[in-house]
Amino acid sequence: MGGSEGHRLFPEGFLWGAATSSHQVEGNNVNNDWWDWEQLPGKVAHGDKSGDACDHYNGYRQDFAMARDLGHNAHRLSLEWSRIEPAEGRFDRGAVEHYRDVLGTLKSFGMATMVTLHHFTNPRWLTAKGGWARPEVAGLFERYSRHVAEQLGDLVDFWVTINEPMVYATHGFLLGLWPPEKKSIVLAFRVAKNLAKAHGRAYHAIHEVLGVRGRRPMVGIAKNMMLFDPKNPASRLDRMVAQKLDRIFNRSFLDALANGVMAFPVVSRETDPRLDGTQDFIGVNYYSRSLAAFSLRKPQMLFMDLSVKEDAEKNSLGWEVYPEGLYRILMSVKGYRLPVYITENGIATTDDRQRERFIVAHLREVARAIADGVDVRGYLHWSLIDNFEWKEGFAPRFGLVGVDYKTQARNIRPSARLYSDIIRTGSLP
Ligand code: GAL
């Protein structure tokens, strides 16, 4: 494969860049639920607290200049709801001004902006009201989204209302791993429904605000897509579980936004015509594959058991490195007939050579999906810089650029240069 063969691997105008999220890079998001949770003993690995994180709140200009110099023509970031609306119904002018500078900087560098409105963290006041478990959240999220569209809409090219809704619902409400540490399957899918409804309302609010100004905003979500294969391919039950997981975790949310039908397990099925067709693109976050098996020991998990392929290459968090999964996922979303953006894909590793191989192998699968007719229009690597990896703290290194958390020095890794060459030449080594 190569650009010299006369055909392009990636279409004209392809978006190339990286992604981050507010709480993971900004530092001092003292008004959200994660901040509170991190202060409790035993929650985050090694007792890490997000603290100053990457001090990106102050250093964004240098970080973006680095991305621009590496040839990135796009960047995905999230806004911190708890900064913009620090108390219910009170919007902070200063925070909005800050994000105007942030997005204006990207624009002045000629980069496209992709803005996430919710990336796992919640204002403290929202949590106090019951957060995403309460139906009122949809209206509150709509109001916040409308405010952002009014104040920042002229600087935003792509909107991601919610990052990884099913990951948020399962980690916070089913597995009890993240705040608010609930372990209830009913609650988890109730939250999934609330996330879908909130997305729908935000979608229409953004279109209303920006449609008036004669623009057609591009609004979607970033959907974590996990590849599920049966642990024992010869077992009919394992195959069934893999299919079921694919339906529940990968498809149900996207289907709800496609046809307005919220069909999640254990909660009542609901149809909302206003949810119908509320994605202008599909955002895919892809990391890994899981093996699925039927297990009588997991009634609370609907008899589904997940594991990682034993002899596979892994990242430093033990996730399988499985590039072909990206191709398979991209082929699986072709049927939605929407443009596709890879909103996240990356690897936690201390071996930068492994990151280089990861990038090339995954982009090869992207090129293959494009050749097979998937309308992929961009790739945003996770992440631009090392950052605070939620419950895992600062140890995992996801960055194209390394961060020394003591000095806040940045170190451009060879993989970042390799990625830069790929962007420049449009071809893969
Ligand atoms: C995603 C998430 C990011 C980042 C990444 C690596 O699920 O959106 O915030 O943490 O995974 O684990």
Side-chain angles (χ1 to χ4, degrees), residues 88-248:
E88 186 177 352
R90 185 172 72 73
F91 291 96
D92 189 82
R93 199 58 246 156
V96 168
E97 280 310 317
H98 169 81
Y99 286 121
R100 284 203 66 82
D101 287 344
V102 168
L103 296 169
T105 301
L106 287 169
K107 293 265 115 191
S108 75
F109 290 170
M111 293 163 76
T113 54
M114 185 180 279
V115 167
T116 310
L117 293 170
H118 184 270
H119 199 123
F120 300 153
T121 55
N122 300 298
R124 186 179 287 134
W125 60 263
L126 180 67
T127 303
K129 289 175 81 92
W132 287 91
R134 306 283 311 157
E136 300 86 300
V137 69
L140 299 168
F141 186 69
E142 176 186 354
R143 183 175 58 183
Y144 155 65
S145 304
R146 187 180 295 278
H147 184 77
V148 171
E150 284 165 356
Q151 301 296 318
L152 301 169
D154 56 321
L155 299 169
V156 178
D157 297 305
F158 297 87
W159 299 86
V160 169
T161 56
I162 291 166
N163 181 66
E164 300 190 343
M166 296 305 279
V167 169
Y168 178 69
T170 51
H171 283 53
F173 299 85
L174 172 66
L175 305 171
L177 293 170
W178 290 358
E181 288 190 68
K182 303 287 186 221
K183 288 189 184 175
S184 153
I185 192 160
V186 175
L187 203 52
F189 289 111
R190 203 177 284 157
V191 166
K193 269 208 224 173
N194 288 339
L195 287 159
K197 291 177 190 171
H199 161 82
R201 292 179 64 159
Y203 177 92
H204 291 294
I206 296 165
H207 273 268
E208 269 161 44
V209 171
L210 298 171
V212 175
R213 295 185 194 165
R215 291 175 47 144
R216 184 164 167 23
M218 289 289 282
V219 186
I221 61 167
K223 181 72 191 68
N224 183 297
M225 302 294 275
M226 170 70 84
L227 208 284
F228 297 105
D229 273 334
K231 184 164 187 181
N232 172 6
S235 150
R236 205 173 64 86
L237 280 175
D238 286 7
R239 290 201 306 271
M240 219 175 69
V241 170
Q243 264 173 29
K244 197 166 163 183
L245 276 164
D246 180 60
R247 204 172 57 237
I248 298 171

Side-chain angles (χ1 to χ4, degrees), residues 10-76:
F10 304 97
E12 183 93 45
F14 198 76
L15 292 191
W16 291 107
T20 62
S21 90
S22 55
H23 193 70
Q24 294 179 275
V25 298
E26 286 182 348
N28 297 296
N29 280 316
V30 298
N31 259 321
N32 74 32
D33 57 344
W34 263 85
W35 182 273
D36 290 343
W37 191 73
E38 287 156 33
Q39 313 308 315
L40 307 172
K43 300 302 182 193
V44 177
H46 317 292
D48 287 355
K49 299 184 172 71
S50 61
D52 289 336
C54 313
D55 194 30
H56 180 76
Y57 196 80
N58 298 306
Y60 61 88
R61 176 171 281 276
Q62 292 89 310
D63 288 337
F64 295 161
M66 226 167 35
R68 175 203 56 196
D69 294 346
L70 288 166
H72 298 196
N73 63 15
H75 184 68
R76 173 177 174 228

Side-chain angles (χ1 to χ4, degrees), residues 24 119-120 163-164 224 285 287 319 344 382 389-390 398:
Q24 294 179 275
H119 199 123
F120 300 153
N163 181 66
E164 300 190 343
N224 183 297
N285 289 4
Y287 287 89
W319 309 351
E344 282 180 34
W382 184 272
E389 176 57 21
W390 307 113
F398 273 100

Side-chain angles (χ1 to χ4, degrees), residues 196 199 221 251-262 271-282 333 335-338:
H199 161 82
I221 61 167
R251 317 284 312 189
S252 60
F253 205 92
L254 290 176
D255 287 348
L257 310 193
N259 58 27
V261 183
M262 287 169 277
T271 304
D272 178 357
R274 294 263 295 161
L275 208 53
D276 202 320
T278 55
Q279 283 197 112
D280 303 315
F281 65 90
I282 305 266
V333 298
Y336 291 108
R337 295 168 186 275
L338 288 169

